[in-house]
Amino acid sequence: MNTITAAITAVGAYVPDFVLSNKVLETMVDTNDEWITTRTGIKERRILKDADKGTSYLAIKAAQDLIAKANIDPLEIDMIIMATATPDMMVASTGVYVATEIGATNAFSYDLQAACSSFLYGMSTAAAYVQSGRYKKVLLIGADKMSSIVDYTDRTTCIIFGDGAGAVLFEPNYEGLGLQDEYLRSDGVGRDFLKIPAGGSLIPASEETVKNRQHNIMQDGKTVFKYAVTNMADASELVLKRNNLTNEDVNWLVPHQANKRIIDATAGRMNLEDSKVLMNIERYGNTTSGTLPLVLADFEHLLKKGDNVIFAAFGGGFTWGSIYLKWAYDKK
C-alpha cells in the first residue's frame, strides 16, 4: 500500500464588499495613511457591515466558492474544521452551522481556536485525519469577522484588522505531495499581551465590562511584534533546516498577514527574494484565521504542482509555527 500524504486540492475565498481605507480611518481616529502604511503595510481592509451576519456568513461564502470551483458534491465532504477566533456565539459551534448550511450533512464539524495561528494548526489537524486513512475529504475553513471585536476608537488595533474567509480541501495523495513537515509551538506567557479580557468564564459579561470596552481586542503592540518577529522567523528557518531545504529550494512563502515588517523579517531570515513572498496585506489587513487561505486564493494561479511552499503564522496566546507543504496541482 502506498503511503498516504494529505494534499490541498482546492481553494475558495470570500471578502465583504465594503472597503475601509486608511483615508476613511483618518476621519475616525487620530491616524493617517502614511503612518499606517509605514508601520503595517496596510492600505485598506474589508468589513462585513451587515449587523445580522456573523463569521458563519463569511465561512459559508468561502466554502461555497470552493465547492463551485472544484465541482464537488458537499455530501462527499467527510468533516469540516472551522478555524476562527470570532465564532458566531458561545457553545453552539459555528462550524456545525456552516456544515449544515452548505449541505455537507454527512460531515462532522467543530471549531478550532488558536488566534491568528488557527488556520495553521487546522492544516496540521486536517492533514492528520487524511493521513490516517479514515477520511477522504476534509474541508478546512479560516474565517473571522474581526470588526465585531475591534474598538474603532483605539487606533492601535482598529488600523490592523479586517474581515474575510478562505477555505481549502485536503485529500489523500499518493505522489508524495501535500504536507511534509510542521513545527508548531505555544507559550502561555502571551496571555496578557493579546486578548479580549471579558466574556469568558474568568470575567463574565456584565454592564461594567461592556462599559469598560472589555469585550474588544486589546494588545501590547511592541511585545507582540517582538515575539512574532522572532518566533515566526525561527520556526520557518527550523523547518528549512530540518528538511535540508535552502532558500533556492523554496518556491513560495505564505506568511500570516499581520504586519509587513514581520513578514519581511521572516523572509529575511530565510534569505528569500521578495518575488517568493506572497502578500495581500495591503488590501485586506489582518483577517486572523482568514489570512493564509486568502493568500492561497489570491495567488493560486502562480502555484505549480511540486512547488515547495512554507507557511508561517503567529497568534495570541502565544501560538505560532511553520508548515512545509508540496503543492499538488496546477490551476486549470
Side-chain angles (χ1 to χ4, degrees):
M1 179 178 171
N2 293 332
T3 301
I4 299 173
T5 53
I8 292 174
T9 58
V11 177
Y14 176 78
V15 291
D17 293 330
F18 182 83
V19 176
L20 178 58
S21 67
N22 290 348
K23 289 296 184 183
V24 174
L25 277 175
E26 288 180 3
T27 68
M28 299 167 60
V29 291
D30 181 19
T31 190
N32 61 72
D33 174 64
E34 181 184 8
W35 192 90
I36 298 171
T37 304
T38 302
R39 285 161 178 78
T40 68
I42 302 168
K43 299 294 288 187
E44 59 188 38
R45 64 289 291 149
R46 301 298 185 96
I47 303 296
L48 182 59
K49 298 288 283 185
D50 309 61
D52 62 339
K53 292 183 173 67
T55 294
S56 62
Y57 177 81
L58 302 169
I60 289 165
K61 287 289 190 180
Q64 290 173 335
D65 181 54
L66 181 151
I67 289 167
K69 290 197 300 186
N71 192 29
I72 64 170
D73 183 347
L75 295 175
E76 295 178 357
I77 299 172
D78 298 307
M79 67 172 296
I80 296 174
I81 300 173
M82 179 74 213
T84 185
T86 57
D88 283 3
M89 61 183 74
M90 300 289 283
V91 181
S93 168
T94 301
V96 170
Y97 176 70
V98 170
T100 299
E101 289 299 296
I102 65 173
T105 52
N106 289 325
F108 76 96
S109 180
Y110 59 83
D111 295 356
L112 189 158
Q113 207 281 76
C116 292
S117 300
S118 296
F119 191 85
L120 189 78
Y121 282 20
M123 290 177 66
S124 171
T125 308
Y129 276 114
V130 171
Q131 289 166 350
S132 74
R134 192 166 292 179
Y135 302 104
K136 302 293 186 184
K137 285 181 167 61
V138 178
L139 181 64
L140 170 63
I141 307 170
D144 273 304
K145 185 181 178 181
M146 294 303 293
S147 62
S148 67
I149 59 172
V150 167
D151 177 359
Y152 284 96
T153 67
D154 176 10
R155 69 173 184 171
T156 65
T157 55
C158 73
I159 64 170
I160 298 169
F161 297 101
D163 303 337
V168 300
L169 184 68
F170 274 91
E171 294 186 274
N173 183 276
Y174 300 94
E175 301 175 88
L177 303 173
L179 198 146
Q180 305 293 307
D181 194 17
E182 63 183 44
Y183 179 77
L184 306 178
R185 288 294 182 269
S186 60
D187 188 342
V189 71
R191 180 176 167 107
D192 291 328
F193 300 119
L194 180 54
K195 62 183 178 180
I196 297 175
S201 60
L202 186 63
I203 307 176
S206 67
E207 183 178 348
E208 194 70 16
T209 62
V210 173
K211 179 182 176 182
N212 293 334
R213 298 180 183 271
Q214 290 177 277
H215 297 272
N216 296 122
I217 191 166
M218 299 177 181
Q219 74 167 350
D220 177 338
K222 289 183 179 180
T223 301
V224 173
F225 180 85
K226 180 183 70 173
Y227 274 91
V229 167
T230 301
N231 289 314
M232 266 182 65
D234 285 350
S236 301
E237 185 180 37
L238 185 145
V239 165
L240 291 190
K241 289 181 177 178
R242 199 157 70 181
N243 291 277
N244 297 313
L245 298 173
T246 69
N247 60 319
E248 296 296 326
D249 298 318
V250 175
N251 297 102
W252 309 105
L253 172 65
V254 179
H256 172 51
Q257 310 286 300
N259 185 302
K260 187 177 183 297
R261 291 187 293 167
I262 297 173
I263 296 171
D264 289 343
T266 302
R269 180 76 68 84
M270 298 169 68
N271 199 25
L272 287 183
E273 53 195 73
D274 292 345
S275 61
K276 292 184 175 184
V277 183
L278 302 182
M279 276 192 286
N280 56 15
I281 189 172
E282 73 281 357
R283 292 186 291 124
Y284 303 139
N286 182 355
T287 56
T288 304
S289 306
T291 65
L292 297 182
L294 279 174
V295 170
L296 289 180
D298 278 358
F299 296 99
E300 185 186 14
H301 62 287
L302 296 179
L303 304 174
K304 303 301 181 186
K305 184 175 180 179
D307 278 357
N308 291 321
V309 185
I310 302 295
F311 295 80
F314 182 88
F318 290 127
T319 60
W320 72 92
S322 181
I323 283 177
Y324 165 35
L325 178 139
K326 279 187 173 292
W327 197 249
Y329 66 94
D330 297 323
K331 186 180 179 182
K332 297 176 183 178

